[in-house]
Each structure stands twice: as structure tokens, then as C-alpha cells.
């Protein structure tokens, strides 16, 4: 299917008419779910620049724990080194761009790329690179894994790939205070069941579905 061009996307994304439509309880315009240009703008402005939930702190309970995730097109790996600080990196080897960690999760002292055995510490620093000593100017300190911003709210871990990202608190706004006012102990939350499955649909269709509990959304006339 041929997607809309960037000009079409700008027309679709803007306008007081859309704002009024949403205020009246309508869904997003149909083009938002099918336009290739809209999807590209979403990848740029949402998945590459915004805080995204990636997992729970219980997945990194012990030093050496790691797990992998995906932020749009960007593979990431989260670790907990011996210092206890949660870290996030692009899961891409600095040598030839291969995935460093191919497992979903585990516990290790180091992360080693399967391609040419470049090995990284859990803090992202390069530990070893075969034949590196043959290059007199090679500086291992310049070839660590690319770090990403990572913060937590209660047991929830969020990552932002934007190097100029504002703090997570700017995104959460008054939500932490509202939750605290209910008396809910967020740190007491534990995962009971986890299911992973692929859905052949635009990501907003899935979000819309999970937001519908107790609400009414009307088809958009745009």
C-alpha cells in the first residue's frame, strides 16, 4: 500500500478540527493508523525521543542481571552492575553493529558480542577487543556501549534514547502525587503473569483497546 507523503502527514496531524473532534470523544483519524508518513513521525517524535516503559526492577534484582528490550527500531539492553545502579545501552556492538546480547534475560559478569568477541563490562565500558593491542592509537574508553537515559518510578523502569531527554518527572507530571494520595504502595507491586505476543496491527490500535475499559470512544468522522 502506498503511504502518504510528509505534506499529507502534516495536514493529518494538525488542525483545530481534530482537537474539537477528540474533545467530543472521537477516535484519531483513520489515516493515523495507515499512513507511512505518520508512522515515521511517530517513530521520530515518540519512540526516539520519549520515555518508554521497558520492564520492572525485579528483572534486575541481583548484580549481574540483564534483560533486553526494543524501543521502536532500537534494540536495548539493561544491566545492574556490581555498584547496583541500573543502566541502559543500545544493544549494538561498537565494532560491526551486531547485537551484543541475543538472550532475553540472564545473569553475567560481562556482555560479549558473538560476532568478533568484543566484550563489555556491565557498566558499558569496553573490557576487551581482539587484536586491539595491534592498533597503537586504539582507545578502549572511546568504544563503550552507547548509554541511554534510564530512570525508575516505583518498580517501573523507563528508558529514553534521546541524549537531550528531560527528566522522567517532567513526563509523569502529577501522576506520582495522585497515586501516592490513594495509599497504593507501588514498590509492593509484583508481576504474576507475563505473556509476549505479536499483533499484526498499528501500535495505536493496541493502545486504544487497553484504554477503552470504562470509557466510550466514537469513530472519528475525519
Amino acid at each position: 500500500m502506498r503511504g502518504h507523503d510528509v505534506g499529507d502527514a502534516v495536514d493529518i496531524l494538525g488542525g483545530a478540527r481534530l482537537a474539537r473532534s477528540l474533545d467530543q470523544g472521537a477516535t484519531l483519524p483513520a489515516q493515523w493508523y495507515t499512513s507511512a508518513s505518520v508512522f515515521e513521525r511517530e517513530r521520530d517524535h515518540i519512540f526516539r525521543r520519549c520515555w518508554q516503559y521497558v520492564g520492572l526492577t525485579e528483572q534486575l534484582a541481583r548484580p549481574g542481571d540483564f534483560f533486553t528490550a526494543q524501543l521502536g527500531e532500537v534494540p536495548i539492553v539493561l544491566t545492574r552492575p556490581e555498584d547496583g545502579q541500573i543502566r541502559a545501552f543500545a544493544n549494538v556492538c561498537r565494532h560491526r553493529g551486531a547485537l551484543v546480547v541475543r538472550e532475553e534475560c540472564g545473569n553475567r559478569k560481562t556482555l560479549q558480542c558473538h560476532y568478533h568477541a568484543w566484550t563489555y563490562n556491565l557498566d558499558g565500558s569496553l573490557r576487551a577487543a581482539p587484536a586491539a593491542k595491534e592498533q597503537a592509537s586504539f582507545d578502549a574508553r572511546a568504544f563503550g556501549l552507547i548509554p541511554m537515559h534510564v530512570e525508575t518510578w516505583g518498580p517501573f523502569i523507563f528508558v529514553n534514547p534521546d541524549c537531550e531527554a528531560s527528566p522522567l518527572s517532567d513526563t509523569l507530571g502529577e501522576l506520582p502525587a495522585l497515586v501516592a494520595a490513594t495509599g497504593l504502595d507501588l514498590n509492593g507491586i509484583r508481576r504474576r503473569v507475563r505473556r509476549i505476543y505479536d499483533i499484526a496491527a498499528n501500535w495505536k490500535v493496541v493502545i486504544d483497546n487497553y484504554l477503552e475499559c470504562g470509557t466510550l470512544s466514537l469513530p472519528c468522522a475525519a
Side-chain angles (χ1 to χ4, degrees):
M1 179 180 65
R2 181 178 179 275
H4 301 272
D5 61 23
V6 175
D8 293 332
V10 173
D11 292 339
I12 294 169
L13 290 169
R17 179 188 177 192
L18 174 59
R20 290 194 301 270
S21 179
L22 295 175
D23 286 342
Q24 294 168 0
T27 59
L28 295 170
Q31 298 98 317
W32 281 43
Y33 299 87
T34 59
S35 168
S37 295
V38 169
F39 183 51
E40 180 55 37
R41 288 168 67 93
E42 291 171 342
R43 287 194 293 193
D44 182 43
H45 292 278
I46 298 177
F47 296 109
R48 297 172 188 159
R49 303 188 189 184
C50 296
W51 288 98
Q52 306 289 329
Y53 166 76
V54 295
L56 297 171
T57 55
E58 66 183 51
Q59 295 173 258
L60 299 173
R62 302 173 299 157
D65 283 349
F66 70 87
F67 71 87
T68 55
Q70 193 84 13
L71 292 185
E73 297 175 314
V74 181
I76 65 171
V77 57
L78 291 99
T79 67
R80 188 186 287 276
E82 289 295 330
D83 64 7
Q85 181 179 345
I86 294 176
R87 289 178 168 84
F89 307 97
N91 186 18
V92 179
C93 185
R94 296 297 305 279
H95 184 215
R96 296 297 185 190
L99 282 179
V100 176
V101 183
R102 294 187 290 178
E103 300 94 324
E104 180 180 331
C105 60
N107 185 281
R108 295 181 182 175
K109 294 184 178 180
T110 60
L111 305 176
Q112 187 177 76
C113 178
H114 68 283
Y115 192 27
H116 287 125
W118 278 39
T119 304
Y120 302 87
N121 295 308
L122 297 185
D123 64 2
S125 60
L126 180 62
R127 182 185 183 94
K133 293 181 179 180
E134 299 175 6
Q135 305 295 327
S137 62
F138 183 82
D139 184 358
R141 294 172 297 181
F143 291 93
L145 295 175
I146 301 298
M148 295 187 177
H149 293 283
V150 58
E151 293 191 36
T152 61
W153 173 43
F156 307 115
I157 305 174
F158 297 84
V159 172
N160 192 324
D162 186 355
C163 62
E164 299 181 354
S166 60
L168 175 63
S169 58
D170 289 355
T171 296
L172 295 178
E174 63 179 357
L175 181 59
L178 293 173
V179 172
T182 69
L184 175 66
D185 178 16
L186 278 182
N187 290 312
I189 293 177
R190 296 291 182 270
R191 174 183 287 163
R192 301 303 180 194
V193 178
R194 185 185 187 197
R195 296 186 179 92
I196 301 176
Y197 47 91
D198 293 326
I199 301 176
N202 182 272
W203 68 276
K204 295 186 297 299
V205 173
V206 182
I207 298 299
D208 288 347
N209 179 70
Y210 282 104
L211 291 176
E212 282 187 350
C213 299
T215 66
L216 175 63
S217 294
L218 304 175
C220 179

